[in-house]
Amino acid sequence: MDDQEYKIERVKEIVKTINFFEERYGGRYQKVLEQKGDPYLTDDWQWGREGKEWHYLLKEIEDL
C-alpha cells in the first residue's frame, strides 16, 4: 500500500469513527463539548475517553 492509499483508508476509518461519535452523542463535537464540558476535565470516564479520541481524530483528519 502506497502513501496515498494509506491516507485514503485512514480517512475512511476516521470518518466512520467520527460518525459513530456524532450518532452516539447526538451532534458534532463542538456542540457536545458545550453540553458535556472538556473531556480532559470530566469525571465521566466514558466521555473523557471518547471525547479525547474524538478530538484527536478531528485533529488528525485536518493534518492528512
Side-chain angles (χ1 to χ4, degrees), residues 3-4 7-9 11 14 17 19 22 24 30-31 39 48-49 52 54 59 62:
D3 189 54
Q4 188 66 19
K7 285 182 181 180
I8 290 169
E9 290 304 313
V11 166
I14 291 171
T17 306
N19 286 336
E22 287 180 351
R24 180 183 199 108
Q30 194 60 38
K31 177 185 169 196
R49 183 176 56 81
K52 291 172 196 171
W54 194 356
K59 175 85 172 102
E62 286 178 13

Side-chain angles (χ1 to χ4, degrees), residues 1 7 9-10 15-16 21 24-25 27 31-34 41 43 48-49 53 61:
M1 180 181 299
K7 285 182 181 180
E9 290 304 313
R10 184 63 186 145
V15 169
K16 182 178 168 184
F21 287 140
R24 180 183 199 108
Y25 289 99
K31 177 185 169 196
V32 177
L33 185 66
E34 291 170 7
L41 303 175
D43 291 333
R49 183 176 56 81
E53 181 179 357
I61 207 165

